[in-house]
Amino acid sequence: MSFLSLLARNRLALAGLIVMALVVLLALVTPILPLADPDVTNTGNRFLKPFSEGALLGTDHLGRDLLSRLLWGTRLSLAVGFAAAVIAAVLGAAVGIIAGYYGGRVDNLIMRGVDMLMAFPYILLALAIVAALGPGLLNALIAVAAVNIPFFARNIRGITVGIAHKEFVDAAKLAGMGDARIIVSEVLPNVVPVIVIAMSTTVGWMILETAGLSFLGLGSQPPQADLGSMLGEARSALITNPHTSVVPGVMILIIVMAINLLGDGVRDALDPRLRSGALTRPMAATMVQRKGPVPDPQGDNVLDLRGLETQFHVKDRIYRAVGGVSWGVKPGECLGIIGESGSGKSVTALSVMGLVASPPGVITGGAVFYKGEDLVGAPYERLRSLRGREVAYIFQDPLATLHPLYKVGDQLVEAIRVHHHVSDKEARAKALGLLKDVRIPNAESRLENYPHEMSGGMRQRVGIAMALANDPEVIIADEPTTALDVTVQAQILSLLDTLRREKGLAIVFITHDFGVVAQLCDRVAVMYAGRIVEEGPTQIVLDAPAHPYTRRLIACVPELGEGKRALHAIPGLPPAVNDLPPGCAFAPRCDKATEACRQGEIALDAFGARKLRCLFPETELEAAQ
Amino acid sequence: MGSYILKRLVSAIPVLLGITVIVFAIMALIPGDPATAILGSYATPENVEKLNRDLGLDKPAVQRYFIWLFNMMQGDFGRSFSLNRPVLDEVLDRFGATLVLAGTSFVLCSLIGVAAGVVSAARQYGFADKAITFVVLLGISIPSFFLGMMMILIFAVQLRWFPASGMWPIYGDRNLLVLLDHLLMPALALAVVATGVVARLSRSAMLEVLRQDYIRTARAKGVPERGVIWRHALRAAMVSIIPVLGIQAGFVLSGAVYIEMVFQWPGVGRMLVDAILKRDILLVQGGVVFVAACYVGFNIVVDVAQSLLDPRIKT
Amino acid sequence: MSIALKLDALSKTFVVGKQLFGPPKGRVHAVHPVTLEVPEGETLGIVGESGCGKSTLARMLVGLLEPSGGSIEIAGKPLDNADPAVFGKRIQYVFQDPISSLNPRKTVRQIMEVPLKRLHGMDKAQRDRRISEIFAQVNLREEFLDRYPHEFSGGQAQRIGIARALAAEAKILILDEPVSALDVSVQAQVLNLLAELKQRLGLTYLFISHDLAVVEAVSDRVAVLYFGSVVEIGRAEDVFANPRHPYTKLLADSAPVVGRPLTAPEGRETELPDPLNPPKGCAFRARCPYAGERCGEEVPRLEGETQLAACFHPLR
């Protein structure tokens, strides 16, 4: 039962659960406790203070025993609150599922009705219902349930629409299921957690609302006690005998607070996004916990990575996304980093400027030298001043990576002004120039566009313009054309190539596409399971791959112009980076692997311009000079 | 923009009609006949019948609805028998007081709630976050009427800082200072729950936004963290916060009923509760329709604000 | 050879900006009338860029979307999905996103049992036997049956999706970008599996993709879609090697190929036409270097012998 253990791990929710269990238990055993009759008046004993003889919590204005009334009242309030929540949830969910699943006219009609009900401040509707049905606890229950149905309906409808458009619902139709069966067996299981979450977070609210109506004298009628009516009756004696108010008020507070704590716990345990810890805020810079020695800078690379290690710490698991990566780029050079998803290529790129989301990301080793200065562990302000000014990024999906609510021009101006003290006018002129640099037609009017008003190719040009805004030395392009169509991709790649030659930029180009690497990059590094397995001049590596993984990966990719054919697949799957095998990570999929490959560290050895991490290379390489 | 506002106004018409239908239908559920309720159970059958005819209650329901609707459109909401004055006059008198109370609370809950949510998200799991989360939890768990009563007990009775009830002193000047003196406690008591809800939602909206790719872009550009939080993240988070503010306005209006009872505030909520207990149906109908219509109007303002904020909403 | 799938002037128009009162704001012609035939045992590849209508076309073929015009015949009979328990046995669909096509709250066994129970009315013992058979065909271990979809990688999940489609025993499979969510090393595994299944079970495929090289590698014939219309159709080895339509040539030239220098085949930034306000005549005209006067007035029709192109100025 992962749900219960998750709930138990949340200490506050557990406290809520315990308090709630006690309250419910008390409410259940109330009839068999030796209590005074809650409704018997004894005006001779009115307003006894708490801890009086025979009345532990004192008595009220009619001399009734407060403890007895409190327990009976709690029993009633709990029952009414839960009943209202269940009624509202069941009816609301039914309406919401039907509207969301069928869509179209049914949905339109139902949701218009719901909108109308929600156009009332909720209490007006409740008051109107009570006015019509007359005061009374049952009527208050009906009113509270009724005004909450629209909230459930709208919430559940939203979820259902999302599920009804999922591909597994289409698949169920094609597998021969009818609508009713799909609703029950495909949609409902996916909606139930949401209903439970919505209910657990609103039960407390329902108890408050019914107590409120009783407080106004519209709910439970005398002499019957519920917590709200106790408060209502005590109000006139608030100043002279506050204990008659405090007792029921504190009880409501305790109950509702316990339910809210418990509800939050249920939500956290059931919501998969919260469960995976996804709703944590990434910090301004990636966390650094560097153990071991810091390497020294070497060579004339403008950007130089030495043994970089980046890990993701999720609960008690450690994912070694980047396991000791070294590479460097010289001014004006283009380095391609190629790998499949999960190979660590993007994480490597983001680690450079501390942009890996943290938590869960942690840089645990190695160094990133920019012109000889180690950026790992550099103060945030130093890192920030280099971001965008010296090292700039271009990201994959230009719709998601541009701010949707700011004009393109304003975003460019901001990129300039965070690093340079120039007037808005100057910055705007520069922004215009940038858009022209990236060959955007009608640049002037494009400054006033929002990202959603542009095509994917145009947006990525804006992304490139933004990276160029402060004339950086290095641009890191993380799959900048993956989300684009092939004809647009060709345009963007040739633009990048022209710009880099014009401006002498160093580019680090992350991709999974050999064709792109071949056309753009001077050198290429191949990554597998968080490490570089092979590196060298692009042409040579592609023509004569030395690592078995590189050779077989190239063979996997169909190339245009070869007609219909069978492909050479690599069997098996890449290893999970939280459970890497010892030795070569590719060994389990490699047909040349021997015992030696499966044990001990295999080094990335240099062979002239090439580097290789393999005991049995595909081609003979000459040893380093 | 103008055409968008116009479109929203036009689309409010069916909603307003729907509101009148719903209110009328609920009121038509009332068992027995209102004339008996008005005249009391000792009335003679002749008097009951005469009053029914005077009130037009002998006609079929559909016809009665249209008469009522038509009269309302001309500003005639009927006459309250318990107060013996036109419903609209009474509602207008009372609504002003409610507006002052609920409006102040709404401004308080929006400002404090959003600010608390942003700070909480920006310092996730830090001390400020934990403190805010705890206070918010307390705030959404306490019944506002109980909180109001405790405030009276402490700040009015014990400490004598504020007057215990009413909107104006019985004697003396009616100036802004006096009003604020009376307003502070009820407005705060009313704002607490809504502030909690707004703060919770703002926190989760901010956390959601802070994970987005465009926040990473802002950081990659070198935008200082303060700018990332307040300029980039909050702006985007407001897109999901504003509709909640609209809903909270309804909650504040609703909560005003309790607070008006506790603080003897001469607002429309207290009027409605009194009218229900006296079974003054026309006053209930009129009051509910009037307040609901105002709320519909407020929601149009919210939608327009939303469309100003988010260019992706087609205007 | 009989015809497995026949499309006659099939089209789809979406209404946008539907209003409560008054006419809709506009219409988008997602698929212009398309006429196609797929003989039994063939793999027809459909290639095009985003927004060209390829997924809309696919969804119409399996009855998930109502066509606005034209007709569909499956194995000689008109498409009729009134009874899902019959329709599912005639044609099946493999989805693009392997994970979201599996219900996260069901085990793989529960997912696999649905078509066997609903379409073929098998009892428990028969179902178990059949599932074992199918799993052997798609190289999946039977221990996977009691796991939930989120425990699988993309490639494994796509195999499960294929297995489910096979369970229906339909002879025609619509494959909608079946490998575009997968990594290249896994992509090759799935493509090879599909080829093997087709051979062994005598299936007919309609293979939709945006990846020219993939389409070329798996298809017998290829149809190129642009802006909702088929602009060229022909044998796979010819279409990209010797394109007749200028758009096909542009596509082929744009694909990054090892050993070919980087050039932008189009000098300027160009965009797709506005679907709400389509241009008169040939939709590709604004991007076409060969466009003449006639291209702005008439919509060209598909013409040719084995390699048909909808162009007034074909390259061959």
Side-chain angles (χ1 to χ4, degrees):
Chain A
M1 279 316 286
S2 65
F3 169 71
L4 281 182
S5 66
L6 270 165
L7 196 60
R9 205 182 302 155
N10 186 337
R11 246 179 288 159
L12 284 174
L14 193 64
L17 182 68
I18 292 170
V19 172
M20 215 36 230
L22 281 176
V23 172
V24 170
L25 190 72
L26 267 180
L28 286 177
V29 300
T30 299
I32 55 166
L33 289 179
L35 292 166
D37 187 316
D39 298 337
V40 166
T41 57
N42 179 0
T43 33
N45 274 341
R46 61 201 296 253
F47 292 134
L48 286 182
K49 296 283 174 232
F51 309 112
S52 306
E53 176 97 25
L56 194 57
L57 293 177
T59 55
D60 70 358
H61 63 294
L62 294 174
R64 295 174 293 200
D65 182 42
L66 266 180
L67 178 65
S68 172
R69 282 182 76 73
L70 182 75
L71 291 181
W72 283 97
T74 303
R75 195 176 147 85
L76 201 56
S77 286
L78 280 180
V80 171
F82 276 108
V86 170
I87 294 171
V90 170
L91 293 180
V95 169
I97 288 176
I98 289 172
Y101 181 77
Y102 287 99
R105 205 154 289 170
V106 178
D107 182 30
N108 222 323
L109 210 66
I110 293 179
M111 290 324 285
R112 297 263 156 182
V114 165
D115 283 347
M116 258 158 222
L117 289 176
M118 290 185 80
F120 289 91
Y122 74 89
I123 202 161
L124 288 187
L125 204 54
L127 287 181
I129 293 173
V130 172
L133 301 179
L137 195 54
L138 190 64
N139 295 342
L141 189 160
I142 293 172
V144 168
V147 299
N148 279 290
I149 287 175
F151 288 91
F152 276 96
R154 179 177 277 193
N155 189 352
I156 299 300
R157 174 198 170 263
I159 304 292
T160 307
V161 167
I163 291 167
H165 287 101
K166 280 268 169 69
E167 294 180 331
F168 66 77
V169 170
D170 289 338
K173 281 180 197 160
L174 286 168
M177 281 187 170
D179 282 336
R181 193 164 260 129
I182 290 178
I183 288 181
V184 173
S185 82
E186 304 285 326
V187 177
L188 196 59
N190 286 288
V191 179
V192 163
V194 185
I195 300 176
V196 172
I197 291 171
M199 228 174 82
S200 64
T201 46
T202 45
V203 170
W205 182 242
M206 303 268 190
I207 290 178
L208 279 184
E209 282 176 74
T210 34
L213 287 178
S214 290
F215 173 78
L216 296 175
L218 305 174
S220 84
Q221 297 297 306
Q224 192 184 41
D226 81 343
L227 295 174
S229 65
M230 284 175 76
L231 254 178
E233 288 168 13
R235 191 163 64 88
S236 50
L238 171 66
I239 295 168
T240 50
N241 289 287
H243 72 276
T244 51
S245 306
V246 171
V247 166
V250 168
M251 191 61 176
I252 299 180
L253 178 63
I254 290 173
I255 292 176
V256 177
M257 190 135 156
I259 291 180
N260 283 338
L261 283 173
L262 188 58
D264 288 357
V266 169
R267 187 196 58 203
D268 292 357
L270 284 182
D271 192 328
R273 283 186 318 161
L274 294 166
R275 192 176 346 196
S276 60
L279 266 194
T280 46
R281 152 194 132 75
M283 299 196 299
T286 311
M287 224 173 345
V288 175
Q289 288 173 2
R290 199 154 42 166
K291 302 169 196 104
V294 177
D296 293 320
Q298 44 182 265
D300 52 356
N301 292 329
V302 54
L303 185 65
D304 199 48
L305 271 62
R306 292 276 138 236
L308 182 73
E309 285 175 33
T310 306
Q311 305 180 340
F312 293 107
H313 295 180
V314 181
K315 301 218 174 91
D316 44 3
R317 289 190 301 272
I318 293 177
Y319 295 86
R320 295 171 209 282
V322 181
V325 164
S326 306
W327 48 248
V329 273
K330 297 185 175 56
E333 189 188 33
C334 181
L335 170 71
I337 298 181
I338 196 163
E340 297 180 88
S341 50
S343 64
K345 56 190 192 301
S346 285
V347 180
T348 308
L350 292 173
S351 299
V352 170
M353 280 287 139
L355 290 172
V356 178
S358 177
V362 186
I363 296 177
T364 51
V368 173
F369 295 106
Y370 175 74
K371 293 187 174 165
E373 177 188 357
D374 186 8
L375 300 183
V376 174
Y380 165 71
E381 192 45 43
R382 177 67 189 146
L383 207 54
R384 185 195 72 73
S385 74
L386 293 175
R387 285 176 179 176
R389 185 165 61 91
E390 302 286 321
V391 180
Y393 281 85
I394 304 169
F395 295 108
Q396 176 174 344
D397 176 1
L399 182 60
T401 53
L402 293 176
H403 199 294
L405 305 181
Y406 286 106
K407 288 175 185 166
V408 160
D410 294 341
Q411 299 193 45
L412 285 169
V413 165
E414 184 190 33
I416 298 164
R417 292 188 65 183
V418 289
H419 293 299
H420 295 101
H421 289 284
V422 294
S423 71
D424 186 71
K425 211 172 152 192
E426 284 171 74
R428 204 155 281 277
K430 173 103 199 265
L432 183 64
L434 287 169
L435 287 193
K436 286 181 177 155
D437 282 353
V438 294
R439 326 278 196 267
I440 288 187
N442 310 323
E444 209 119 357
S445 64
R446 286 295 189 178
L447 282 175
E448 301 300 313
N449 277 162
Y450 289 97
H452 72 277
E453 296 169 330
M454 302 179 130
S455 68
M458 282 297 181
R459 279 195 290 266
Q460 195 54 295
R461 281 169 198 263
V462 172
I464 295 172
M466 200 136 80
L468 294 173
N470 295 293
D471 298 312
E473 300 279 321
V474 182
I475 284 189
I476 299 177
D478 187 2
E479 306 233 21
T481 59
T482 305
L484 303 177
D485 274 324
V486 60
T487 54
V488 181
Q489 166 172 291
Q491 294 166 8
I492 296 289
L493 288 178
S494 89
L495 172 70
L496 270 177
D497 197 45
T498 317
L499 287 172
R500 111 176 148 97
R501 290 181 204 286
E502 277 173 16
K503 300 185 186 262
L505 287 167
I507 293 187
V508 181
F509 196 97
I510 320 287
T511 182
H512 66 276
D513 190 327
F514 279 106
V516 170
V517 164
Q519 292 188 322
L520 194 67
C521 301
D522 306 314
R523 273 189 310 131
V524 61
V526 182
M527 282 187 76
Y528 186 76
R531 316 185 96 177
I532 291 178
V533 295
E534 174 165 14
E535 191 198 317
T538 308
Q539 203 59 50
I540 300 176
V541 170
L542 292 186
D543 286 349
H547 198 284
Y549 174 66
T550 317
R551 179 182 66 77
R552 300 187 61 177
L553 190 63
I554 292 174
C556 275
V557 186
E559 237 180 70
L560 198 60
E562 293 176 2
K564 192 175 174 181
R565 83 216 82 126
L567 300 162
H568 304 279
I570 309 177
L573 294 169
V577 284
N578 62 337
D579 186 22
L580 287 173
C584 174
F586 187 62
R589 302 172 77 184
C590 183
D591 47 11
K592 303 170 97 180
T594 66
E595 229 12 73
C597 298
R598 294 193 178 88
Q599 46 192 272
E601 173 81 14
I602 295 162
L604 184 68
D605 290 325
F607 300 89
R610 303 183 71 171
K611 285 178 189 162
L612 180 68
R613 195 192 293 278
C614 183
L615 300 177
F616 304 101
E618 299 281 328
T619 52
E620 278 304 312
L621 296 179
E622 286 171 29
Q625 304 85 332
Chain B
M1 179 47 60
S3 71
Y4 177 74
I5 297 175
L6 192 72
K7 213 163 68 187
R8 274 307 274 108
L9 285 174
V10 171
S11 73
I13 293 172
V15 176
L16 287 174
L17 283 177
I19 284 172
T20 59
V21 171
I22 291 171
V23 172
F24 188 85
I26 293 174
M27 291 303 159
L29 288 176
I30 295 174
D33 66 327
T36 316
I38 294 169
L39 296 172
S41 43
Y42 301 110
T44 61
E46 291 78 40
N47 284 347
V48 169
E49 198 183 316
K50 180 175 181 305
L51 187 63
N52 268 337
R53 209 173 321 115
D54 290 350
L55 292 173
L57 291 175
D58 51 344
K59 301 195 174 77
V62 178
Q63 198 179 345
R64 271 187 358 240
Y65 168 73
F66 281 105
I67 293 171
W68 176 62
L69 185 68
F70 192 67
N71 286 341
M72 268 199 307
M73 288 200 287
Q74 293 175 320
D76 175 12
F77 280 57
R79 204 172 172 82
S80 155
F81 76 86
S82 66
L83 302 165
N84 198 22
R85 68 183 292 211
V87 166
L88 189 61
D89 293 1
E90 177 70 10
V91 170
L92 282 176
D93 278 359
R94 297 296 202 107
F95 190 66
T98 298
L99 210 57
V100 169
L101 175 64
T104 311
S105 281
F106 178 69
V107 171
L108 283 177
C109 85
S110 307
L111 294 180
I112 302 175
V114 172
V118 172
V119 170
S120 203
R123 307 240 177 286
Q124 194 187 14
Y125 302 135
F127 175 73
D129 182 30
K130 283 182 181 147
I132 289 173
T133 307
F134 179 73
V135 172
V136 160
L137 182 73
L138 206 63
I140 59 170
S141 303
I142 196 164
S144 59
F145 41 93
F146 178 57
L147 179 67
M149 286 161 72
M150 292 301 108
M151 283 169 97
I152 291 177
L153 204 56
I154 296 167
F155 298 110
V157 177
Q158 300 284 332
L159 300 170
R160 301 190 169 275
W161 288 355
F162 299 102
S165 65
M167 186 169 174
W168 303 107
I170 301 169
Y171 308 105
D173 294 337
R174 295 192 163 192
N175 57 34
L176 188 64
L177 223 61
V178 172
L179 176 63
L180 283 180
D181 202 30
H182 283 80
L183 179 63
L184 191 71
M185 275 207 304
L188 272 178
L190 179 53
V192 162
V193 176
T195 307
V197 176
V198 172
R200 277 186 143 203
L201 188 105
S202 305
R203 178 178 185 269
S204 61
M206 283 291 288
L207 289 178
E208 182 72 41
V209 166
L210 281 166
R211 293 166 47 233
Q212 300 298 314
D213 285 351
Y214 51 82
I215 295 300
R216 191 184 57 194
T217 307
R219 287 182 171 149
K221 284 200 290 195
V223 177
E225 195 57 14
R226 187 184 304 224
V228 170
I229 300 281
W230 292 96
R231 204 162 56 237
H232 286 257
L234 179 57
R235 172 100 186 228
M238 281 314 277
V239 170
S240 41
I241 295 175
I242 282 184
V244 171
L245 291 183
I247 294 175
Q248 286 314 303
F251 276 52
V252 168
L253 266 179
S254 299
V257 175
Y258 304 122
I259 296 297
E260 284 172 9
M261 293 297 281
V262 171
F263 287 91
Q264 305 284 313
W265 192 265
V268 78
R270 234 175 93 203
M271 178 203 85
L272 281 174
V273 176
D274 288 346
I276 291 171
L277 292 173
K278 289 178 188 154
R279 308 199 59 76
D280 188 344
I281 299 307
L282 277 178
L283 190 55
V284 176
Q285 272 184 346
V288 168
V289 167
F290 183 86
V291 177
C294 292
Y295 183 52
V296 170
F298 180 78
N299 273 319
I300 294 178
V301 176
V302 170
D303 284 353
V304 171
Q306 183 81 338
S307 77
L308 285 175
L309 180 77
D310 189 347
R312 290 168 298 183
I313 296 173
K314 290 243 170 70
T315 53
Chain C
M1 199 163 32
S2 57
I3 300 299
L5 201 57
K6 187 174 171 186
L7 284 58
D8 191 15
L10 186 68
S11 69
K12 179 70 194 175
T13 307
F14 290 106
V15 173
V16 288
K18 212 182 267 179
Q19 291 171 324
L20 196 59
F21 310 105
K25 282 182 193 147
R27 287 164 196 282
V28 171
H29 297 273
V31 175
H32 293 275
V34 167
T35 302
L36 274 180
E37 280 181 2
V38 188
E40 217 169 77
E42 186 187 67
T43 298
L44 175 68
I46 295 202
V47 72
E49 296 182 282
S50 52
C52 73
K54 52 189 191 298
S55 280
T56 309
L57 184 67
R59 292 175 61 82
M60 284 195 285
L61 294 180
V62 289
L64 292 173
L65 209 58
E66 199 66 35
S68 312
S71 65
I72 301 166
E73 271 180 32
I74 299 169
K77 283 181 252 167
L79 182 143
D80 170 21
N81 62 347
D83 184 357
V86 175
F87 180 69
K89 283 190 275 192
R90 307 184 58 197
I91 192 162
Q92 277 293 328
Y93 195 83
V94 175
F95 295 86
Q96 170 171 10
D97 182 346
I99 301 287
S100 95
S101 71
L102 303 174
N103 189 339
R105 301 206 173 258
K106 286 185 158 185
T107 62
V108 172
R109 185 187 299 280
Q110 287 171 318
I111 291 170
M112 285 298 297
E113 283 191 327
V114 174
L116 298 175
K117 203 156 46 176
R118 299 280 151 235
L119 296 174
H120 296 283
M122 292 184 180
D123 63 28
K124 181 83 184 114
Q126 286 174 306
R127 290 200 301 260
D128 284 348
R129 214 166 41 235
R130 184 81 184 104
I131 289 174
S132 306
E133 240 174 75
I134 298 169
F135 260 47
Q137 281 173 346
V138 297
N139 307 328
L140 281 171
R141 292 201 294 272
E142 280 184 52
E143 63 189 67
F144 288 173
L145 281 170
D146 296 308
R147 296 197 198 160
Y148 287 88
H150 67 87
E151 297 174 55
F152 296 98
S153 69
Q156 290 167 331
Q158 194 57 293
R159 279 169 203 270
I160 296 169
I162 292 169
R164 173 178 54 194
L166 291 180
E169 290 182 44
K171 285 291 174 198
I172 308 169
L173 248 55
I174 309 291
L175 307 157
D176 185 5
E177 302 259 14
V179 295
S180 64
L182 308 179
D183 268 317
V184 281
S185 72
V186 181
Q187 167 181 312
Q189 295 172 7
V190 173
L191 290 177
N192 287 346
L193 170 69
L194 284 171
E196 190 191 312
L197 289 172
K198 183 185 157 186
Q199 191 99 59
R200 194 175 336 154
L201 304 172
L203 302 173
T204 305
Y205 286 164
L206 194 81
F207 189 101
I208 296 171
S209 178
H210 68 281
D211 190 326
L212 311 187
V214 165
V215 165
E216 192 193 54
V218 301
S219 306
D220 299 306
R221 280 193 308 148
V222 172
V224 181
L225 234 59
Y226 183 72
F227 202 63
S229 305
V230 175
V231 295
E232 180 158 5
I233 182 167
R235 294 195 309 169
E237 55 268 39
D238 299 334
V239 166
F240 297 119
N242 297 302
R244 289 186 67 213
H245 196 285
Y247 174 65
T248 316
K249 180 164 167 46
L250 173 65
L251 274 183
D253 289 348
S254 298
V257 172
V258 178
R260 187 161 74 190
L262 188 59
T263 50
E266 278 178 293
R268 57 217 143 93
E269 164 79 10
T270 47
E271 297 190 23
L272 281 174
D274 179 5
L276 273 173
N277 191 10
K280 218 177 137 212
C282 174
F284 188 61
R285 169 171 51 98
R287 298 171 72 175
C288 184
Y290 311 100
E293 213 166 287
R294 191 176 170 204
C295 304
E297 276 150 25
E298 274 179 71
V299 180
R301 300 198 326 189
L302 268 179
E303 278 164 350
E305 298 276 308
T306 51
Q307 192 172 347
L308 291 78
C311 184
F312 294 124
H313 308 281
L315 302 175
R316 284 195 293 120

